[in-house]
């Protein structure tokens, strides 16, 4: 079957595979020759990264393996999570539980809701629990998926952000959850201030700090980011992963960032045409933050039909930040 493909040198193939795995077609077989690997991909990858080498070619269809359910389930730790409303969940669970890494099978029972961004789950099979330990990008996260937000599909996005953070930078994670941005940043020896208003998320974040042998450079605060961060104003990076409500906290972030520091602003965008996805948001950000310099803007993932989770990375104008006192870096905590 003919498909769009990404052509990549064999030496870089594994790194790229991890980065674009959400776009790789599972119904077709990956091809290789002596020098290159060819990943069959969805067209939407071109909005995500159009600097790759694209070709069109014929691929063999994957043989259907009757033992592996072809449904988009997630795995968090040893818990398999089936989609909302999936029929025949018991049969699927029976197959999944044969795998060594899966001990619990749940089905989503609601969408993500409320300020804590949690959802309900329905027990299907295996051990009866919602707590687990998940490994991502070399870090461990203990969490209860019903009590605190965690989405394994954001691992590539998190790695991308962490790669932009230098050792010893000062990072504010305004909506930290169980710590998937804060923990790896702290592992890079950064000074990190991690805030969340969900007490369960904070309980696990404190456990995860220990689990990953992080020291006093990770400061954990339970509370509302809109009010608990007043004493800081020299962050090199501010991570704002609360896409349904980020605008309410943007003014706060503009007061926390230092000159040339980067704000990672997450939001949702509806597709009218691809340029418009970002245009309206950039205009809205400038209304609140003043002139901004955009370092990067990207589609993180598709959220629902015609709606995308977006990231806009920007610095705010030197005019606004020029008097930020660098000396406070030393007594910022
Ligand atoms: C979408 S989750 C992101 C969590 C984490 N950054 C991640 O990537 O898994 C947003 C988090 O923000 C928290 N939150 C919502 N409103 C908040 C507020 N006003 N102040 C601090 N945390 C807040 C929620 O409890 C939730 O854990």
């Amino acid at each position: 079957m003919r498909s769009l493909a990404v052509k990549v040198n064999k030496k870089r193939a594994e790194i790229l595979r991890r980065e674009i795995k959400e776009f790789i077609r599972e119904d077709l077989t990956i091809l290789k020759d002596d020098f290159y690997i060819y990943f069959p991909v969805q067209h939407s990858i071109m909005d995500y990264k159009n600097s790759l080498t694209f070709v069109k070619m014929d691929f063999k269809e994957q043989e259907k393996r009757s033992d592996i359910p072809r449904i988009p389930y997630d795995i968090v730790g040893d818990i398999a999570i089936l989609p909302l409303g999936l029929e025949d969940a018991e049969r699927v669970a029976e197959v999944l539980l044969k795998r060594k890494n899966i001990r619990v099978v749940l089905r989503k029972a609601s969408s993500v809701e409320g300020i804590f961004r949690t959802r309900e789950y329905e027990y299907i099979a295996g051990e009866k629990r919602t707590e687990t330990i998940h490994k991502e990008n070399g870090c461990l996260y203990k969490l209860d998926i019903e009590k605190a937000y965690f989405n394994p599909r954001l691992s590539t996005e998190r790695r991308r952000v962490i790669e932009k953070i230098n050792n010893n930078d000062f990072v504010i994670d305004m909506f930290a959850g169980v710590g998937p941005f804060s923990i790896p940043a702290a592992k890079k020896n950064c000074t990190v201030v991690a805030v969340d208003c969900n007490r369960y998320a904070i309980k696990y974040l404190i456990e995860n700090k220990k689990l990953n042998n992080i020291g006093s450079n990770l400061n954990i605060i339970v509370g509302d980011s809109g009010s608990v961060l007043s004493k800081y104003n020299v962050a090199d990076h501010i991570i704002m992963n609360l896409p349904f409500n980020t605008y309410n906290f943007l003014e706060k972030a503009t007061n926390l960032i230092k000159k040339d520091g980067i704000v990672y602003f997450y939001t949702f965008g509806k597709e009218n045409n691809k340029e418009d996805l970002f245009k309206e948001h950039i205009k809205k950000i400038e209304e609140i933050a003043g002139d901004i310099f955009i370092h990067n803007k990207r589609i993180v993932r598709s959220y629902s039909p015609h709606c995308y989770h977006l990231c806009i990375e920007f610095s705010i104008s030197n005019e606004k930040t020029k008097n930020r006192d660098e000396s406070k870096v030393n007594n910022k905590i």
Side-chain angles (χ1 to χ4, degrees):
M1 179 189 276
R2 205 145 182 83
S3 168
L4 181 71
V6 171
K7 175 181 171 185
V8 58
N9 188 296
K10 273 188 168 171
K11 286 186 188 147
R12 289 209 334 102
E14 180 49 27
I15 293 173
L16 185 69
R17 187 194 66 75
R18 275 190 255 138
E19 184 185 339
I20 63 168
K21 67 178 182 223
E22 283 189 37
F23 298 97
I24 296 175
R25 291 182 59 168
E26 288 183 3
D27 56 330
L28 300 177
T29 314
I30 293 166
L31 291 178
K32 54 183 156 192
D33 59 25
D34 288 348
F35 304 104
Y36 297 103
I37 302 278
Y38 303 87
F39 294 113
V41 288
Q42 323 270 7
H43 272 87
S44 54
I45 193 172
M46 296 179 107
D47 304 317
Y48 167 73
K49 197 167 188 179
N50 61 15
S51 57
L52 299 167
T53 307
F54 293 105
V55 290
K56 282 213 163 154
M57 55 198 298
D58 290 319
F59 289 88
K60 260 203 220 151
E61 286 185 45
Q62 290 267 24
E63 279 174 35
K64 289 211 165 53
R65 289 176 54 185
S66 57
D67 61 329
I68 297 180
R70 298 196 65 77
I71 46 160
Y73 62 91
D74 288 317
I75 296 183
V76 176
D78 59 359
I79 302 179
I81 302 168
L82 305 179
L84 189 72
L86 180 83
E87 287 176 11
D88 216 6
E90 287 75 11
R91 190 193 64 80
V92 173
E94 207 178 297
V95 177
L96 288 173
L97 283 171
K98 287 188 185 140
R99 298 187 183 179
K100 277 198 198 121
N101 59 330
I102 296 176
R103 308 285 279 273
V104 181
V105 181
L106 306 174
R107 176 168 56 195
K108 290 176 186 170
S110 75
S111 44
V112 171
E113 285 162 353
I115 59 165
F116 298 158
R117 312 311 292 147
T118 48
R119 70 163 91 233
E120 287 168 14
Y121 294 89
E122 194 184 332
Y123 169 78
I124 302 294
E127 295 172 24
K128 269 199 168 163
R129 59 179 159 82
T130 46
E131 188 179 77
T132 188
I133 296 182
H134 184 76
K135 190 169 183 185
E136 179 182 283
N137 299 328
C139 301
L140 293 172
Y141 301 100
K142 186 168 175 189
L143 74 149
D144 184 322
I145 56 169
E146 211 160 42
K147 294 193 169 130
Y149 176 93
F150 185 82
N151 186 345
R153 296 184 193 189
L154 295 179
S155 71
T156 307
E157 172 60 20
R158 290 192 272 256
R159 198 179 59 241
R160 183 197 298 272
V161 170
I162 296 305
E163 277 168 4
K164 295 198 171 175
I165 295 175
N166 294 317
N167 290 7
N168 303 312
D169 279 351
F170 178 28
V171 178
I172 297 180
D173 187 359
M174 289 179 83
F175 312 104
V178 300
F181 286 104
S182 293
I183 296 279
K187 268 199 163 181
K188 281 185 122 172
N189 231 8
C190 293
T191 298
V192 181
V193 176
V195 186
D196 204 288
C197 62
N198 177 354
R199 288 186 174 275
Y200 288 107
I202 291 293
K203 165 185 156 338
Y204 285 108
L205 179 48
I206 292 168
E207 284 197 49
N208 293 333
K209 178 176 171 178
K210 284 198 202 117
L211 207 55
N212 291 281
N213 299 317
I214 308 280
S216 58
N217 57 318
L218 172 56
N219 302 272
I220 299 170
I221 302 175
V222 57
D224 172 9
S225 278
S227 53
V228 296
L229 287 164
S230 312
K231 62 178 175 162
Y232 313 104
N233 69 352
V234 284
D236 295 292
H237 305 269
I238 297 184
I239 301 165
M240 304 184 75
N241 187 18
L242 185 64
F244 86 107
N245 195 18
T246 334
Y247 282 105
N248 275 350
F249 300 88
L250 181 55
E251 194 176 348
K252 182 86 204 170
T254 64
N255 294 326
L256 301 172
I257 197 77
K258 82 176 193 193
K259 183 168 164 285
D260 299 327
I262 302 177
V263 177
Y264 302 81
F265 184 91
Y266 291 91
T267 188
F268 292 123
K270 286 240 160 68
E271 180 183 34
N272 297 321
N273 78 51
K274 293 280 148 55
E275 259 314 293
D276 287 353
L277 264 181
F278 294 98
K279 216 160 116 189
E280 281 302 307
H281 281 301
I282 290 168
K283 197 169 147 220
K284 226 169 139 185
I285 291 171
E286 287 192 318
E287 277 164 20
I288 298 170
D291 288 341
I292 58 172
F293 173 78
I294 296 176
H295 296 270
N296 187 279
K297 55 188 196 316
R298 59 180 173 274
I299 295 175
V300 175
R301 66 188 173 119
S302 157
Y303 182 71
S304 59
H306 308 293
C307 181
Y308 297 91
H309 187 176
L310 309 177
C311 182
I312 301 170
E313 288 178 20
F314 62 88
S315 300
I316 58 178
S317 84
N318 289 353
E319 211 31 59
K320 214 169 179 173
T321 50
K322 72 179 176 195
N323 294 325
R324 299 271 155 95
D325 183 358
E326 291 280 333
S327 66
K328 284 192 186 154
V329 174
N330 295 326
N331 57 17
K332 58 195 174 264
I333 304 302

